[in-house]
Amino acid sequence: MPKFFQTEVLSFRKALYYMRKIICVLSFAAIASCAKQNPVQNPGEQFMSESEMEVSKNRTKDLNNLERTQIQDWIKSQDVKYYPMGMNYWVNIENLEQKPRKNNGEKVSYQYVIYDFDRSKLYDTSIGNTDVVFGRFQEMDAVEDVIRYLNKGEEAEILVPSVLAYGTYGDGKKITNDMPLIIKVKVL
């Protein structure tokens, strides 16, 4: 083989070698870029701006203040006395928070009935659960809180602002949005 061709073949091999390196580096970069996935946003998901969050927070605060005032006015017209609890609801048992409180991990069975503030029963059957573990409740926070103070066989009536009940959306059935509730609870 003439020397000229040997040089050309050698140059061709060098060029091929560098092209393989470039292809390998580019392939690695392409694979690496595929591995990093950006989170997919659900088309139905919406994010709120800071100003929208502030408006929502103020709306909730104003609604809670309005409901507290309305519930306190309602309490004044009742023969039964109700006492405020630290979580922002009222109960018909004086000094309930001074009783021993059950801890997370303990089990309890209970049932409750939901009423509106006209004392109309919203559901015909009571809602109940057996052997539920404190700390793993899926009920309203006010229901769990009051049950922590009650002993077997004891009952309580609680007045719950909407923010501690079903909130802005209601339950999609008989409890409308922003609806405060009266709940009669019994530990079984």
Side-chain angles (χ1 to χ4, degrees), residues 48-62:
M48 297 175 84
S49 68
E50 284 188 40
S51 63
E52 290 171 323
M53 287 291 285
E54 191 62 31
V55 167
S56 177
K57 189 166 69 172
N58 288 335
R59 178 197 176 279
T60 301
K61 183 179 176 183
D62 292 343

Side-chain angles (χ1 to χ4, degrees), residues 138-185:
Q138 294 183 352
E139 300 293 350
M140 293 170 270
D141 290 341
V143 170
E144 179 180 1
D145 189 60
V146 78
I147 290 172
R148 284 182 182 263
Y149 294 102
L150 299 177
N151 294 316
K152 190 173 184 174
E154 287 185 313
E155 298 179 27
E157 185 173 272
I158 59 176
L159 311 177
V160 184
S162 65
V163 71
L164 292 176
Y166 289 87
T168 303
Y169 300 104
D171 71 349
K173 299 172 190 164
K174 294 185 178 186
I175 300 172
T176 61
N177 63 316
D178 301 325
M179 184 175 182
L181 301 171
I182 298 171
I183 302 174
K184 292 184 179 183
V185 179

Side-chain angles (χ1 to χ4, degrees), residues 95-146:
N95 299 319
L96 184 63
E97 287 179 306
Q98 295 176 9
K99 290 178 69 172
R101 188 173 191 270
K102 293 173 187 64
N103 297 314
N104 284 347
E106 294 184 47
K107 289 185 179 180
V108 66
S109 297
Y110 61 92
Q111 66 184 22
Y112 62 93
V113 180
I114 301 174
Y115 299 85
D116 63 18
F117 270 79
D118 290 330
R119 291 214 180 262
S120 297
K121 197 179 202 182
L122 296 178
Y123 293 100
D124 292 332
T125 58
S126 62
I127 300 164
N129 285 301
T130 304
D131 292 329
V132 178
V133 177
F134 283 110
R136 295 187 184 156
F137 266 51
Q138 294 183 352
E139 300 293 350
M140 293 170 270
D141 290 341
V143 170
E144 179 180 1
D145 189 60
V146 78

Side-chain angles (χ1 to χ4, degrees), residues 60-77:
T60 301
K61 183 179 176 183
D62 292 343
L63 177 63
N64 193 34
N65 287 334
L66 175 65
E67 284 183 6
R68 285 184 64 77
T69 301
Q70 289 172 335
I71 291 171
Q72 288 168 336
D73 288 345
W74 183 87
I75 289 171
K76 290 175 188 173
S77 70

Side-chain angles (χ1 to χ4, degrees), residues 27-46:
S27 298
F28 179 77
I31 291 169
S33 69
C34 291
K36 182 181 176 189
Q37 296 179 356
N38 292 325
V40 177
Q41 182 178 343
N42 182 346
E45 240 179 82
Q46 294 182 10

Side-chain angles (χ1 to χ4, degrees), residues 7 10-11 23 33 43-44 90 106 124 163 180:
T7 310
L10 191 58
S11 295
I23 290 172
S33 69
W90 291 261
E106 294 184 47
D124 292 332
V163 71

